[in-house]
Amino acid sequence: MPEMTVIEAIRSTLAEEMARDDRIFIMGEDVEAGGVFRVTDGLSKQFPGRIIDSPLAESSIIGLSIGAAHYGMRPIAEIQFADFIHAGFDQLCSEASRWSYRTRGDSYLPMVVRTPWGGGVHGGQHHSQSIEAYYGHIPGIKVVVPSFPADYRSLLRAAIADPNPVLFLEHKRTYRLVRQEVEGAAAEQVIGKSRITRRGDDVTVIAWGLMLHETLAAAKTLAGEGIECTVVDLLSVQPLDRETILEAARMTGKVLVVHEDTLTGGFGAEIAALIGEHAFEHLDGPVRRLAGPDIPSMPYHHAMEDFFMPDAKKIAAAIRDLAAY
Amino acid sequence: MSSVSAESPAGLIPEYHLTRERLEAMYATMVLARKLEERMLTLQRQGQAPFIIAGVGQEAAQVGAGMALQVGTDYIAPYYRDLAMNLVFGMTAREAMLNCLAKIDDPNSFGRQMPAHWGHRARHVVTQSSVVATQLLHAAGIALGAKLRNDPIVVLTSCGEGSTSRGDFHEAMNFAAIHKLPVIFFIENNGYAITEKTEKAMATEHVADRAAGYGLRGQVVDGMDVVAVYHTVKAVADQARRGHGPYLIEAKCYRLWPHSSDDDDTRYRPKAELEEWTRKDPITVFRDRLIEDGVFSEEELDAIDSKATEDVRDATQWALAQPDPKPEDALGFVFKEAGDA
């Protein structure tokens, strides 16, 4: 079976879907030349006129996509870095998320907004952010956070087919770092389902993006020490798969949520609250969170960046601590 | 305004370059919009409607622009004062009243949005929020979709001059010009953004002056003259449909009422100014002109007025008796179900 990087998984899925549906077009900064991460490399030759360079104006990339989706097209917007999506927050929050609600489904928006997020690439304050907590707070937008190439393929396919706005978050550190054997067409997958990727009796860890991979590495190490982890690959922030989260919490009675985003008001808070509210009697310890520190954003220098980011070592330490509780 | 040929084809009234039927529709729609909003204000003052926001003084701009488009083919992305434009695009008096009273059957938002936030997919009226200027990008996006599909449509999006301070105005004009999209940016300059006069929002005299900076064409039209607005928009729409790209039209009009039912304009608006503009009321000016030119008799226009009064009375009585949303109607349609799309 061929091995694919995350980048190849996304690019191949874009190409397959564009070949299948001529309503799809891609719009974003530098996308005609392949984009800064080369996700759309070669697509402008393959699909002339359907890969559209936008001016450096994020509100317009999203607002135009809203109009095109309303008209019946299937726009895929690319925001070059998640850090720059805030200029389009108004269009996502005030407009896209409410399009169906405020018309009782008379109008709706089949559109995807793809954007690279997360740290670990020396991106400093404005090329490293996690944005899932901001957008996961908005009912009406689906927020997808895959971790493995096969899920990037199947969830991107599902996002394009979805009649709602989907924010498709791509962890930039994993773009070329994570590989997986991938075969055949992108699988059918439903947005809003999490997956238990590893089962163990001692501690449940919930993570997404790069942190999922760091968590799996930590779990492997800890297995050698006799601590067995259940690991949940969240896959979707909105809708949130409450059943799978609660099932995994009940399996071990001890839960750690890991995210790169800063601690206070990070999405881990929502997951911890959910478990505290609905699985309280199954818990053998506090629901813990391992997250970035409460500073405005990720600093540039590698020493400070490493300090900011949770990694396999820090995750293993947090798991050990919780296992001993 | 583009030149009007001296030799008008059959049925066209030379001074207007429009048929009697079209002129009647113009007048009737303007009058209906005015009478609807007068009744809506009464309903608000009676406590029957929590809030209203109106387009009184801007009916000529709205009806002229709307009627210049191909209803059923073209799209509008209007703003909250555009009741009259929506009447042109198929909204009925009864539906307008359902909207005012936030009834569950209001086809715009089913009681979920404040009144005058229009939207009707099948009629090509794009749903809008209270955030100003966002719709300019939606309009450009629709035009982009139409261009990709080679559909010969025109999208007209409207806003007040106050909205033109927002970044989305700039981004929409810029993108539409780059891609030569069939969009008409129709600015209804009514002189005020709530309490702020135009000079507090822009250093240029005309919004239209800004068009050149984006590489698109712009012009000012007398927004109190329905016929002038009609011909201006018609000429531009015909060009846009042929691929000539976007255009900015600034219709100079005037907000004869306070910003909304919650606003007291005596705090900031000189009485003399309001009196001066009241004399230019676009409906009375048009009415006087039609009579003076012998297009309609006073009695004929009185009959149109009476019909509008009767329609508003019927719409009000009917809408008041329609069901309200149930509390649990707050839920649902957060996401469109895949099977429904």
Side-chain angles (χ1 to χ4, degrees):
Chain A
M1 285 192 285
E3 229 184 29
M4 263 190 196
T5 61
V6 169
I7 290 258
E8 288 161 351
I10 298 166
R11 185 191 300 131
S12 62
T13 309
L14 290 172
E16 288 160 21
E17 294 301 306
M18 290 188 78
R20 194 183 52 74
D21 185 346
D22 66 7
R23 296 172 301 178
I24 298 171
F25 69 95
I26 292 174
M27 182 162 54
E29 295 159 14
D30 307 297
V31 292
E32 281 190 47
V36 296
F37 289 103
R38 304 304 177 89
V39 174
T40 54
D41 238 1
L43 295 181
S44 59
K45 276 209 183 77
Q46 201 178 339
F47 304 103
R50 292 168 62 193
I51 312 295
I52 301 170
D53 268 349
S54 71
L56 305 188
E58 287 76 12
S59 186
S60 79
I61 296 170
I62 294 164
L64 291 159
S65 296
I66 289 171
H70 180 82
Y71 190 64
M73 304 299 283
R74 296 289 181 271
I76 300 176
E78 178 178 307
I79 301 296
Q80 196 161 74
F81 286 88
D83 311 66
F84 305 135
I85 201 170
H86 307 317
F89 184 85
D90 193 21
Q91 286 286 353
L92 280 169
C93 174
S94 306
E95 304 292 347
S97 76
R98 304 176 194 189
W99 212 258
S100 169
Y101 180 78
R102 74 189 187 207
T103 64
R104 280 178 72 94
D106 177 48
S107 294
Y108 54 94
L109 298 174
M111 60 183 274
V112 180
V113 180
R114 295 179 35 247
T115 190
W117 67 287
V121 298
H122 313 301
Q125 299 208 354
H126 300 105
H127 300 80
S128 305
Q129 281 179 67
S130 301
I131 61 165
E132 70 275 12
Y134 297 139
Y135 294 93
H137 184 61
I138 304 173
I141 302 177
K142 297 188 180 182
V143 182
V144 177
V145 279
S147 300
F148 282 102
D151 289 324
Y152 273 98
R153 278 174 58 72
S154 55
L155 284 170
L156 182 52
R157 181 182 162 187
I160 293 168
D162 203 292
N164 298 285
V166 180
L167 182 57
F168 191 83
L169 300 179
E170 305 169 357
H171 199 292
K172 66 175 83 69
R173 175 78 179 111
T174 70
Y175 265 156
R176 289 183 171 80
L177 185 74
V178 176
R179 294 171 170 272
Q180 190 181 29
E181 288 186 348
V182 173
E183 198 175 33
E188 292 274 355
Q189 193 164 343
V190 178
I191 293 175
K193 294 287 175 203
S194 299
R195 184 189 301 124
I196 297 174
T197 57
R198 184 185 176 106
R199 287 174 188 267
D201 292 335
D202 298 316
V203 174
T204 295
V205 188
I206 300 167
W208 52 96
L210 178 65
M211 290 303 112
L212 191 270
H213 297 287
E214 297 290 330
T215 296
L216 289 172
K220 207 172 162 187
T221 305
L222 290 169
E225 302 174 16
I227 298 172
E228 293 297 339
C229 295
T230 287
V231 178
V232 177
D233 184 351
L234 194 67
L235 293 171
S236 172
V237 165
Q238 168 82 271
L240 189 61
D241 184 355
R242 294 179 170 82
E243 291 71 28
T244 300
I245 291 168
L246 292 173
E247 182 198 335
R250 287 174 186 134
M251 277 165 60
T252 64
K254 290 180 175 178
V255 183
L256 173 70
V257 188
V258 182
H259 58 66
E260 271 177 62
D261 195 6
T262 50
L263 180 75
T264 303
F267 209 75
E270 177 60 33
I271 295 171
L274 174 76
I275 294 167
E277 201 169 356
H278 297 288
F280 181 74
E281 60 274 27
H282 296 267
L283 293 180
D284 294 324
V287 179
R288 291 236 165 105
R289 291 174 290 160
L290 182 63
D294 283 334
I295 54 178
S297 56
M298 202 174 292
Y300 174 66
H301 189 278
H302 68 85
M304 294 189 285
E305 186 184 62
D306 290 348
F307 175 81
F308 188 110
M309 301 261 301
D311 59 15
K313 213 174 146 188
K314 294 180 201 171
I315 295 168
I319 294 171
R320 275 189 208 101
D321 197 46
L322 188 55
Y325 184 88
Chain B
M1 196 178 110
S2 59
S3 63
V4 174
S5 74
E7 293 294 316
S8 289
L12 293 186
I13 296 166
E15 299 90 330
Y16 298 83
H17 208 62
L18 284 162
T19 63
R20 203 168 179 274
E21 290 69 31
R22 294 286 273 171
L23 290 167
E24 181 178 337
M26 278 177 174
Y27 179 76
T29 308
M30 290 166 67
V31 168
L32 179 60
R34 175 70 59 90
K35 288 184 182 291
L36 277 167
E37 290 185 332
E38 286 170 348
R39 179 61 62 89
M40 287 170 181
L41 182 61
T42 304
L43 288 167
Q44 193 274 335
R45 294 298 189 241
Q46 291 171 342
Q48 305 257 29
F51 175 83
I52 72 142
I53 192 157
V56 168
Q58 299 173 222
E59 296 93 341
Q62 296 171 13
V63 169
M67 286 185 64
L69 301 172
Q70 293 182 3
V71 176
T73 299
D74 294 339
Y75 277 70
I76 54 172
Y79 86 122
Y80 48 76
R81 297 204 192 279
D82 283 326
L83 169 64
M85 196 186 293
N86 276 274
L87 294 175
V88 175
F89 264 63
M91 180 177 297
T92 66
R94 285 184 167 194
E95 288 171 339
M97 278 300 173
L98 289 176
N99 176 259
C100 172
L101 297 167
K103 294 293 186 176
I104 188 63
D105 293 325
D106 163 37
N108 295 282
S109 81
F110 310 88
R112 291 183 167 196
Q113 291 215 84
M114 295 177 90
H117 291 54
W118 318 111
H120 196 295
R121 185 176 173 82
R123 289 181 188 150
H124 292 188
V125 179
V126 184
T127 173
Q128 68 187 285
S129 74
S130 306
V131 181
V132 300
T134 49
Q135 75 271 22
L136 275 56
L137 283 169
H138 307 156
I142 290 169
L144 174 65
K147 194 184 174 197
L148 289 168
R149 278 185 179 179
N150 292 317
D151 294 340
I153 69 157
V154 171
V155 188
L156 182 141
T157 183
S158 57
C159 64
E161 84 292 345
S163 305
T164 67
S165 294
R166 287 197 92 235
D168 282 354
F169 170 79
H170 157 78
E171 294 189 19
M173 299 251 291
N174 189 43
F175 190 90
I178 292 165
H179 290 270
K180 289 203 180 325
L181 300 179
V183 188
I184 301 170
F185 298 101
F186 186 72
I187 314 302
E188 297 176 33
N189 186 343
N190 65 14
Y192 282 92
I194 307 191
T195 69
E196 290 185 20
K197 293 206 77 166
T198 311
E199 55 264 31
K200 289 190 180 175
M202 48 192 261
T204 52
E205 188 183 354
H206 307 296
V207 177
D209 294 344
R210 299 188 194 162
Y214 296 96
L216 56 82
R217 297 155 299 159
Q219 80 178 83
V220 172
V221 62
D222 179 0
M224 306 300 259
D225 181 345
V226 62
V227 176
V229 172
Y230 172 87
H231 286 300
T232 302
V233 176
K234 181 75 168 57
V236 165
D238 288 346
Q239 287 179 26
R241 210 181 301 282
R242 290 195 302 268
H244 290 235
Y247 208 102
L248 187 153
I249 297 170
E250 179 182 7
K252 300 278 192 190
C253 38
Y254 191 76
R255 197 191 77 201
L256 287 169
W257 281 11
H259 167 68
S260 73
S261 54
D262 290 345
D263 179 35
D264 174 12
D265 61 335
T266 60
R267 293 179 301 146
Y268 55 85
R269 173 150 63 184
K271 205 174 168 200
E273 178 189 297
L274 180 59
E275 282 168 359
E276 184 195 333
W277 279 95
T278 301
R279 284 193 292 277
K280 299 176 190 170
D281 182 319
I283 295 178
T284 47
V285 167
F286 188 41
R287 179 190 170 89
D288 292 348
R289 182 180 166 194
L290 290 169
I291 292 167
E292 196 175 313
D293 290 343
V295 184
F296 294 100
S297 68
E298 201 166 349
E299 292 70 31
E300 286 172 319
L301 296 183
D302 285 346
I304 292 171
D305 293 354
S306 300
K307 167 85 166 47
T309 301
E310 185 47 45
D311 286 350
V312 172
R313 183 181 298 129
D314 161 78
T316 308
Q317 296 309 319
W318 177 83
L320 282 166
Q322 297 309 302
D324 287 315
K326 297 187 290 292
E328 60 272 24
D329 283 323
L331 302 174
F333 300 97
V334 173
F335 290 112
K336 181 82 173 173
E337 295 301 322
D340 302 339

